[in-house]
Coordinates of all heavy atoms in Angstrom, one line a residue:
I1 N -15.5 9.4 14.8 CA -15.1 9.5 16.2 C -15.3 8.1 16.8 O -16.3 7.5 16.7 CB -16.0 10.6 16.9 CG1 -15.7 11.9 16.3 CG2 -15.6 10.6 18.4 CD1 -16.6 13.0 16.9
Q2 N -14.3 7.7 17.6 CA -14.4 6.5 18.3 C -14.3 6.8 19.8 O -13.3 7.3 20.3 CB -13.3 5.5 17.9 CG -13.3 5.1 16.5 CD -12.2 4.1 16.2 OE1 -11.3 3.9 17.0 NE2 -12.2 3.6 15.0
P3 N -15.4 6.6 20.6 CA -15.3 6.9 22.0 C -14.4 5.9 22.7 O -14.3 4.7 22.3 CB -16.8 6.7 22.5 CG -17.5 6.0 21.4 CD -16.7 6.1 20.1
H4 N -13.7 6.3 23.7 CA -12.8 5.5 24.4 C -13.3 5.4 25.9 O -14.0 6.3 26.4 CB -11.4 6.3 24.5 CG -10.3 5.4 24.9 ND1 -9.9 5.4 26.2 CD2 -9.4 4.6 24.3 CE1 -8.9 4.6 26.4 NE2 -8.6 4.1 25.2
P5 N -13.1 4.3 26.5 CA -13.7 4.1 27.8 C -13.3 5.2 28.9 O -14.1 5.4 29.8 CB -13.1 2.7 28.3 CG -12.5 2.1 27.1 CD -12.3 3.2 26.1
T6 N -12.3 5.8 28.7 CA -11.9 6.8 29.7 C -12.4 8.2 29.4 O -12.0 9.2 29.9 CB -10.3 6.9 29.8 OG1 -9.8 7.3 28.5 CG2 -9.7 5.6 30.2
G7 N -13.4 8.3 28.4 CA -13.9 9.6 28.1 C -13.1 10.3 27.0 O -13.4 11.4 26.6
Q8 N -12.1 9.6 26.5 CA -11.3 10.2 25.4 C -11.9 9.8 24.0 O -12.6 8.8 23.9 CB -9.9 9.7 25.5 CG -9.3 10.0 26.8 CD -7.9 10.6 26.7 OE1 -7.2 10.3 25.8 NE2 -7.5 11.5 27.6
V9 N -11.6 10.6 23.0 CA -12.0 10.3 21.7 C -10.8 10.2 20.8 O -9.7 10.7 21.1 CB -13.0 11.3 21.1 CG1 -14.3 11.3 21.9 CG2 -12.4 12.7 21.1
R10 N -11.0 9.5 19.7 CA -9.9 9.3 18.7 C -10.5 9.6 17.4 O -11.5 9.1 17.0 CB -9.4 7.9 18.8 CG -8.2 7.6 17.9 CD -7.7 6.2 18.1 NE -7.3 6.0 19.4 CZ -7.2 4.8 20.0 NH1 -7.6 3.7 19.4 NH2 -6.8 4.7 21.3
R11 N -9.8 10.5 16.6 CA -10.2 10.8 15.3 C -9.1 10.7 14.3 O -7.9 10.8 14.7 CB -10.8 12.3 15.2 CG -12.1 12.4 16.0 CD -12.7 13.7 16.0 NE -13.2 14.1 14.7 CZ -13.8 15.2 14.4 NH1 -13.9 16.1 15.3 NH2 -14.3 15.4 13.2
Y12 N -9.4 10.4 13.1 CA -8.4 10.2 12.0 C -8.6 11.1 10.9 O -9.8 11.4 10.5 CB -8.5 8.7 11.5 CG -8.3 7.7 12.6 CD1 -9.3 7.2 13.3 CD2 -7.0 7.3 12.9 CE1 -9.1 6.2 14.3 CE2 -6.7 6.3 13.9 CZ -7.8 5.8 14.6 OH -7.6 4.9 15.6
V13 N -7.6 11.7 10.4 CA -7.6 12.7 9.3 C -6.6 12.3 8.3 O -5.4 12.0 8.6 CB -7.3 14.1 9.8 CG1 -7.4 15.1 8.7 CG2 -8.2 14.5 11.0
E14 N -7.0 12.3 7.0 CA -6.1 12.0 5.9 C -5.4 13.3 5.6 O -6.0 14.3 5.3 CB -6.8 11.4 4.8 CG -6.0 10.7 3.8 CD -6.8 10.0 2.7 OE1 -7.2 10.6 1.7 OE2 -7.1 8.8 2.9
I15 N -4.0 13.2 5.5 CA -3.2 14.3 5.2 C -2.5 14.0 3.8 O -1.9 13.0 3.7 CB -2.1 14.6 6.3 CG1 -2.7 14.8 7.7 CG2 -1.2 15.8 5.9 CD1 -3.6 16.0 7.8
P16 N -2.6 14.9 2.9 CA -2.0 14.7 1.6 C -0.5 14.5 1.7 O 0.2 15.1 2.6 CB -2.2 16.0 0.8 CG -3.5 16.6 1.4 CD -3.4 16.2 2.9
A17 N 0.1 13.6 0.9 CA 1.5 13.2 1.1 C 2.4 14.4 1.1 O 3.4 14.4 1.8 CB 1.8 12.2 -0.1
E18 N 2.1 15.4 0.2 CA 3.0 16.5 0.1 C 3.0 17.4 1.3 O 3.8 18.3 1.4 CB 2.8 17.3 -1.2 CG 1.4 17.9 -1.3 CD 0.3 17.0 -1.9 OE1 0.5 15.8 -2.0 OE2 -0.8 17.5 -2.2
L19 N 2.0 17.2 2.2 CA 1.9 18.1 3.4 C 2.3 17.4 4.7 O 2.2 18.1 5.7 CB 0.5 18.7 3.4 CG 0.0 19.5 2.3 CD1 -1.4 19.9 2.4 CD2 0.9 20.7 2.1
I20 N 2.6 16.2 4.6 CA 3.0 15.4 5.8 C 4.2 16.1 6.5 O 4.1 16.3 7.7 CB 3.3 13.9 5.5 CG1 2.0 13.2 5.1 CG2 3.9 13.2 6.7 CD1 2.2 11.8 4.6
G21 N 5.2 16.5 5.8 CA 6.3 17.1 6.4 C 6.0 18.4 7.1 O 6.6 18.8 8.1
L22 N 5.0 19.2 6.5 CA 4.6 20.4 7.1 C 4.0 20.1 8.5 O 4.2 20.9 9.5 CB 3.5 21.1 6.2 CG 2.9 22.4 6.7 CD1 4.0 23.5 6.8 CD2 1.7 22.8 5.9
V23 N 3.2 19.1 8.6 CA 2.5 18.7 9.9 C 3.6 18.2 10.9 O 3.5 18.6 12.1 CB 1.4 17.7 9.7 CG1 0.8 17.3 11.0 CG2 0.3 18.3 8.8
I24 N 4.5 17.4 10.4 CA 5.5 16.9 11.3 C 6.5 18.0 11.8 O 6.9 18.1 12.9 CB 6.3 15.7 10.7 CG1 5.3 14.5 10.5 CG2 7.5 15.3 11.5 CD1 5.9 13.4 9.7
G25 N 7.0 18.8 10.8 CA 7.9 19.8 11.1 C 9.3 19.3 11.2 O 9.6 18.1 11.3
N26 N 10.3 20.2 11.3 CA 11.7 19.8 11.4 C 12.0 19.1 12.7 O 11.8 19.7 13.7 CB 12.5 21.1 11.2 CG 14.0 20.8 11.0 OD1 14.4 19.7 10.8 ND2 14.8 21.9 11.0
G27 N 12.4 17.9 12.6 CA 12.7 17.1 13.8 C 11.5 16.8 14.6 O 11.6 16.4 15.8
G28 N 10.3 16.9 14.0 CA 9.1 16.6 14.8 C 8.6 17.7 15.6 O 7.6 17.5 16.4
R29 N 9.2 18.9 15.5 CA 8.8 20.0 16.3 C 7.4 20.5 16.2 O 6.7 20.8 17.2 CB 9.8 21.2 16.1 CG 11.0 21.1 16.9 CD 11.9 22.3 16.8 NE 13.0 21.9 16.0 CZ 13.7 22.6 15.2 NH1 13.4 23.9 15.0 NH2 14.8 22.2 14.6
K30 N 6.9 20.5 14.9 CA 5.5 21.1 14.7 C 4.5 20.1 15.3 O 3.5 20.6 16.0 CB 5.3 21.3 13.2 CG 3.9 21.9 12.9 CD 3.6 23.1 13.8 CE 3.9 24.4 13.2 NZ 3.4 25.5 14.0
I31 N 4.6 18.8 15.1 CA 3.6 17.9 15.6 C 3.6 17.9 17.1 O 2.6 17.8 17.8 CB 3.8 16.5 15.0 CG1 2.5 15.7 15.1 CG2 5.0 15.7 15.5 CD1 2.4 14.4 14.2
K32 N 4.8 18.0 17.7 CA 4.9 18.1 19.2 C 4.3 19.4 19.7 O 3.6 19.4 20.7 CB 6.4 18.0 19.6 CG 7.0 16.7 19.4 CD 8.5 16.7 19.8 CE 9.1 15.4 19.4 NZ 10.6 15.4 19.4
E33 N 4.5 20.5 19.0 CA 3.9 21.7 19.4 C 2.3 21.7 19.3 O 1.6 22.1 20.2 CB 4.4 22.8 18.4 CG 3.8 24.2 18.6 CD 4.2 25.2 17.5 OE1 5.4 25.2 17.2 OE2 3.3 25.9 17.0
L34 N 1.8 21.1 18.2 CA 0.4 20.9 18.1 C -0.2 20.1 19.2 O -1.2 20.4 19.8 CB 0.1 20.2 16.7 CG 0.3 21.1 15.5 CD1 0.3 20.2 14.2 CD2 -0.6 22.2 15.3
A35 N 0.5 19.0 19.6 CA 0.0 18.1 20.6 C 0.1 18.9 22.0 O -0.9 18.8 22.7 CB 0.9 16.9 20.7
T36 N 1.1 19.5 22.3 CA 1.3 20.3 23.5 C 0.2 21.4 23.6 O -0.5 21.5 24.6 CB 2.7 20.9 23.7 OG1 3.6 19.8 23.6 CG2 2.8 21.6 25.0
D37 N 0.1 22.2 22.6 CA -0.8 23.3 22.6 C -2.3 22.9 22.7 O -3.1 23.6 23.2 CB -0.6 24.2 21.4 CG 0.7 25.0 21.5 OD1 1.4 24.9 22.5 OD2 1.1 25.6 20.5
S38 N -2.6 21.8 22.1 CA -4.0 21.3 22.1 C -4.3 20.4 23.3 O -5.5 20.2 23.6 CB -4.3 20.6 20.8 OG -3.6 19.3 20.7
G39 N -3.3 19.8 23.9 CA -3.5 18.9 25.0 C -4.0 17.5 24.5 O -4.5 16.7 25.3
S40 N -3.7 17.2 23.3 CA -4.0 15.9 22.7 C -2.8 15.1 22.3 O -1.7 15.7 22.1 CB -5.0 16.0 21.6 OG -4.7 16.9 20.7
R41 N -3.0 13.8 22.0 CA -1.9 13.0 21.5 C -2.1 12.9 20.0 O -3.2 12.6 19.5 CB -2.0 11.6 22.1 CG -1.0 10.6 21.6 CD -1.1 9.3 22.4 NE -0.3 8.3 21.9 CZ -0.7 7.2 21.3 NH1 -2.0 6.9 21.3 NH2 0.2 6.3 20.8
I42 N -1.0 13.3 19.2 CA -1.1 13.3 17.8 C 0.0 12.5 17.2 O 1.2 12.7 17.6 CB -1.0 14.8 17.3 CG1 -2.0 15.7 17.9 CG2 -1.1 14.8 15.7 CD1 -1.9 17.1 17.6
Q43 N -0.3 11.6 16.3 CA 0.7 10.8 15.6 C 0.2 10.3 14.2 O -1.0 10.3 14.0 CB 1.1 9.6 16.4 CG 0.0 8.6 16.6 CD 0.4 7.5 17.5 OE1 1.4 7.5 18.2 NE2 -0.4 6.4 17.5
F44 N 1.1 10.0 13.3 CA 0.8 9.4 12.1 C 0.7 7.9 12.3 O 1.5 7.4 13.0 CB 1.8 9.8 11.0 CG 1.5 11.1 10.3 CD1 2.1 12.3 10.8 CD2 0.6 11.3 9.3 CE1 1.8 13.5 10.3 CE2 0.3 12.5 8.8 CZ 0.9 13.6 9.2
K45 N -0.3 7.3 11.7 CA -0.5 5.8 11.8 C 0.7 5.1 11.2 O 1.1 4.0 11.7 CB -1.8 5.4 11.2 CG -3.0 5.9 11.9 CD -3.1 5.3 13.3 CE -3.5 3.9 13.2 NZ -3.6 3.2 14.6
T46 N 1.3 5.5 10.1 CA 2.4 4.9 9.4 C 3.6 5.8 9.6 O 3.6 6.9 9.1 CB 2.1 4.6 7.9 OG1 0.9 3.9 7.8 CG2 3.2 3.9 7.3
S47 N 4.6 5.2 10.2 CA 5.8 6.1 10.5 C 6.9 5.9 9.5 O 7.8 6.7 9.3 CB 6.3 5.9 11.9 OG 6.6 4.5 12.1
K48 N 6.9 4.7 8.8 CA 8.0 4.4 7.9 C 7.7 5.1 6.5 O 6.7 5.0 5.9 CB 8.1 2.9 7.6 CG 8.6 2.2 8.9 CD 8.7 0.7 8.6 CE 9.0 -0.1 9.8 NZ 9.0 -1.5 9.6
T49 N 8.7 6.0 6.1 CA 8.6 6.7 4.9 C 8.3 5.7 3.7 O 7.5 6.0 2.8 CB 9.8 7.5 4.6 OG1 10.0 8.4 5.7 CG2 9.7 8.3 3.4
S50 N 9.0 4.6 3.7 CA 8.9 3.6 2.6 C 7.5 3.1 2.5 O 7.0 2.7 1.4 CB 9.9 2.5 2.8 OG 9.6 1.8 4.0
E51 N 6.7 3.0 3.6 CA 5.4 2.5 3.6 C 4.4 3.5 3.1 O 3.3 3.1 2.7 CB 5.0 2.0 5.0 CG 5.7 0.7 5.4 CD 5.3 0.2 6.8 OE1 4.3 0.6 7.3 OE2 6.1 -0.5 7.3
R52 N 4.7 4.8 3.2 CA 3.7 5.8 2.8 C 4.1 6.5 1.6 O 3.4 7.5 1.2 CB 3.4 6.7 4.0 CG 4.6 7.6 4.3 CD 4.2 8.7 5.3 NE 5.2 9.8 5.3 CZ 6.1 9.9 6.2 NH1 6.1 9.2 7.2 NH2 6.9 10.9 6.1
E53 N 5.1 6.1 0.9 CA 5.7 6.8 -0.3 C 4.6 7.2 -1.3 O 3.9 6.3 -1.9 CB 6.7 5.9 -0.9 CG 7.6 6.6 -1.9 CD 8.7 5.7 -2.3 OE1 9.3 4.9 -1.5 OE2 9.0 5.7 -3.5
G54 N 4.4 8.5 -1.4 CA 3.4 9.0 -2.3 C 2.0 8.9 -1.9 O 1.1 9.3 -2.6
K55 N 1.7 8.3 -0.8 CA 0.3 8.0 -0.3 C 0.0 9.1 0.8 O 0.9 9.5 1.5 CB 0.2 6.6 0.3 CG 0.4 5.5 -0.7 CD 0.3 4.2 0.0 CE 0.8 3.1 -0.9 NZ 0.9 1.8 -0.2
P56 N -1.3 9.4 1.0 CA -1.6 10.3 2.1 C -1.3 9.6 3.4 O -1.3 8.4 3.5 CB -3.2 10.4 1.9 CG -3.5 9.9 0.6 CD -2.4 9.0 0.1
G57 N -1.1 10.5 4.4 CA -0.8 9.9 5.7 C -2.1 10.0 6.5 O -2.9 10.9 6.3
V58 N -2.2 9.1 7.5 CA -3.4 9.1 8.3 C -2.9 9.6 9.7 O -2.1 9.0 10.4 CB -4.0 7.7 8.5 CG1 -5.2 7.7 9.5 CG2 -4.5 7.2 7.1
L59 N -3.4 10.8 10.0 CA -3.1 11.4 11.3 C -4.1 11.0 12.4 O -5.3 11.1 12.1 CB -3.2 13.0 11.1 CG -2.6 13.8 12.3 CD1 -1.1 13.6 12.5 CD2 -3.0 15.3 12.1
E60 N -3.6 10.5 13.5 CA -4.5 10.1 14.6 C -4.4 11.1 15.7 O -3.3 11.5 16.1 CB -4.0 8.7 15.1 CG -4.8 8.2 16.3 CD -4.3 6.9 16.9 OE1 -3.0 6.9 17.1 OE2 -5.1 6.0 17.0
V61 N -5.5 11.6 16.1 CA -5.6 12.6 17.2 C -6.4 12.0 18.3 O -7.6 11.6 18.1 CB -6.2 13.9 16.7 CG1 -6.2 14.9 17.8 CG2 -5.5 14.4 15.5
Q62 N -5.9 11.9 19.5 CA -6.6 11.3 20.7 C -6.5 12.3 21.9 O -5.5 12.9 22.1 CB -5.9 10.0 21.0 CG -6.6 9.3 22.2 CD -6.0 8.0 22.5 OE1 -5.2 7.4 21.7 NE2 -6.3 7.4 23.6
G63 N -7.6 12.4 22.6 CA -7.7 13.2 23.8 C -9.2 13.4 24.1 O -10.1 12.7 23.7
T64 N -9.4 14.4 24.9 CA -10.8 14.8 25.2 C -11.4 15.4 24.0 O -10.7 15.8 23.0 CB -10.9 15.9 26.3 OG1 -10.2 17.1 25.9 CG2 -10.2 15.4 27.6
A65 N -12.7 15.4 23.9 CA -13.4 16.0 22.7 C -12.9 17.4 22.4 O -12.7 17.7 21.3 CB -14.9 15.9 22.9
D66 N -12.8 18.2 23.5 CA -12.3 19.6 23.3 C -10.9 19.6 22.8 O -10.6 20.4 21.9 CB -12.4 20.4 24.6 CG -13.9 20.7 25.0 OD1 -14.8 20.6 24.1 OD2 -14.1 21.1 26.1
S67 N -10.0 18.8 23.3 CA -8.6 18.9 22.9 C -8.4 18.4 21.5 O -7.7 18.9 20.7 CB -7.7 18.1 23.9 OG -7.9 16.7 23.8
V68 N -9.2 17.4 21.1 CA -9.2 16.8 19.7 C -9.7 17.9 18.8 O -9.1 18.1 17.7 CB -10.0 15.5 19.6 CG1 -10.2 15.1 18.2 CG2 -9.2 14.4 20.4
D69 N -10.8 18.5 19.1 CA -11.4 19.6 18.2 C -10.3 20.7 18.1 O -10.1 21.2 17.0 CB -12.6 20.2 18.8 CG -13.8 19.2 18.7 OD1 -13.7 18.3 17.9 OD2 -14.8 19.5 19.3
K70 N -9.7 21.1 19.2 CA -8.7 22.1 19.1 C -7.5 21.7 18.2 O -7.0 22.5 17.3 CB -8.1 22.5 20.5 CG -7.2 23.6 20.5 CD -6.8 24.0 21.9 CE -5.8 25.2 21.9 NZ -5.4 25.6 23.2
A71 N -7.0 20.5 18.4 CA -5.9 20.0 17.5 C -6.3 19.9 16.1 O -5.5 20.4 15.2 CB -5.5 18.6 18.0
L72 N -7.5 19.5 15.7 CA -7.9 19.4 14.3 C -8.0 20.8 13.7 O -7.7 21.0 12.6 CB -9.2 18.6 14.2 CG -9.1 17.1 14.6 CD1 -10.5 16.5 14.5 CD2 -8.1 16.4 13.6
S73 N -8.5 21.7 14.5 CA -8.6 23.1 14.1 C -7.2 23.7 13.8 O -7.0 24.3 12.8 CB -9.3 23.9 15.1 OG -9.4 25.3 14.7
M74 N -6.3 23.4 14.7 CA -4.9 23.9 14.5 C -4.3 23.2 13.2 O -3.6 23.9 12.5 CB -4.0 23.6 15.7 CG -4.5 24.3 16.9 SD -3.7 23.7 18.5 CE -2.0 24.3 18.2
V75 N -4.5 21.9 13.0 CA -4.0 21.2 11.8 C -4.6 21.9 10.6 O -3.9 22.1 9.6 CB -4.2 19.7 11.9 CG1 -3.9 19.1 10.6 CG2 -3.4 19.1 13.0
W76 N -5.9 22.1 10.6 CA -6.6 22.7 9.4 C -6.0 24.1 9.1 O -5.7 24.4 8.0 CB -8.1 22.8 9.7 CG -8.9 23.4 8.6 CD1 -9.4 24.7 8.6 CD2 -9.1 22.9 7.3 NE1 -10.0 24.9 7.4 CE2 -9.9 23.8 6.6 CE3 -8.8 21.7 6.7 CZ2 -10.3 23.6 5.3 CZ3 -9.3 21.5 5.4 CH2 -10.0 22.4 4.8
E77 N -5.8 24.9 10.1 CA -5.2 26.2 9.9 C -3.8 26.1 9.3 O -3.4 26.8 8.4 CB -5.1 27.0 11.2 CG -6.4 27.5 11.7 CD -6.3 28.3 13.0 OE1 -5.2 28.9 13.3 OE2 -7.2 28.3 13.8
L78 N -3.0 25.1 9.8 CA -1.7 24.9 9.3 C -1.7 24.5 7.8 O -1.0 25.1 7.0 CB -1.0 23.8 10.1 CG 0.4 23.4 9.7 CD1 1.4 24.6 9.8 CD2 0.9 22.2 10.5
L79 N -2.6 23.6 7.5 CA -2.7 23.2 6.1 C -3.2 24.3 5.1 O -2.9 24.4 4.0 CB -3.7 22.0 6.0 CG -3.2 20.7 6.7 CD1 -4.3 19.6 6.6 CD2 -1.9 20.2 6.2
Q80 N -4.1 25.2 5.7 CA -4.6 26.3 4.9 C -3.5 27.4 4.7 O -3.7 28.2 3.8 CB -5.8 26.9 5.6 CG -7.0 26.0 5.6 CD -7.4 25.5 4.3 OE1 -7.7 26.3 3.4 NE2 -7.5 24.2 4.1
S81 N -2.4 27.3 5.4 CA -1.4 28.4 5.3 C -0.5 28.2 4.1 O 0.3 29.0 3.8 CB -0.6 28.4 6.6 OG 0.2 27.3 6.7
V82 N -0.6 27.0 3.4 CA 0.3 26.8 2.3 C -0.4 27.1 1.0 O -1.6 27.2 0.9 CB 0.8 25.3 2.2 CG1 1.8 25.1 3.4 CG2 -0.3 24.3 2.3

């Protein structure tokens, strides 16, 4: 956890390469839904497919401590569903 001057926190989670598409969703719908529902900002650190080919993705989640915890919980549930 990295504290941010505005009271926000930022956490990073490694997502296995084969599950990145699940988190992003078709046209980015799932990642947008996760961000909206949790109230946090969620993005992958490397956006170019060629740069992450076969490598895990690093998911960055930023927001209040509560929104980040909620987002990470939602991502965990999504990953457990496969």
Side-chain angles (χ1 to χ4, degrees):
I1 298 176
Q2 295 180 356
H4 194 269
T6 61
Q8 302 227 327
V9 296
R10 185 178 295 156
R11 292 181 73 181
Y12 300 92
V13 180
E14 195 170 88
I15 305 293
E18 64 273 12
L19 298 177
I20 292 172
L22 177 70
V23 175
I24 295 173
N26 192 7
R29 274 187 251 151
K30 183 47 94 173
I31 200 166
K32 289 175 189 170
E33 175 188 314
L34 292 167
T36 300
D37 291 352
S38 68
S40 47
R41 181 172 171 244
I42 304 173
Q43 65 182 15
F44 277 95
K45 293 295 287 176
T46 303
S47 57
K48 294 180 184 174
T49 304
S50 62
E51 291 180 17
R52 67 170 197 258
E53 198 171 316
K55 298 177 188 169
V58 177
L59 188 68
E60 177 184 51
V61 183
Q62 181 179 344
T64 65
D66 287 343
S67 69
V68 169
D69 286 346
K70 183 175 181 180
L72 293 175
S73 179
M74 294 168 71
V75 169
W76 179 251
E77 285 180 32
L78 178 64
L79 297 177
Q80 294 302 304
S81 71
V82 290

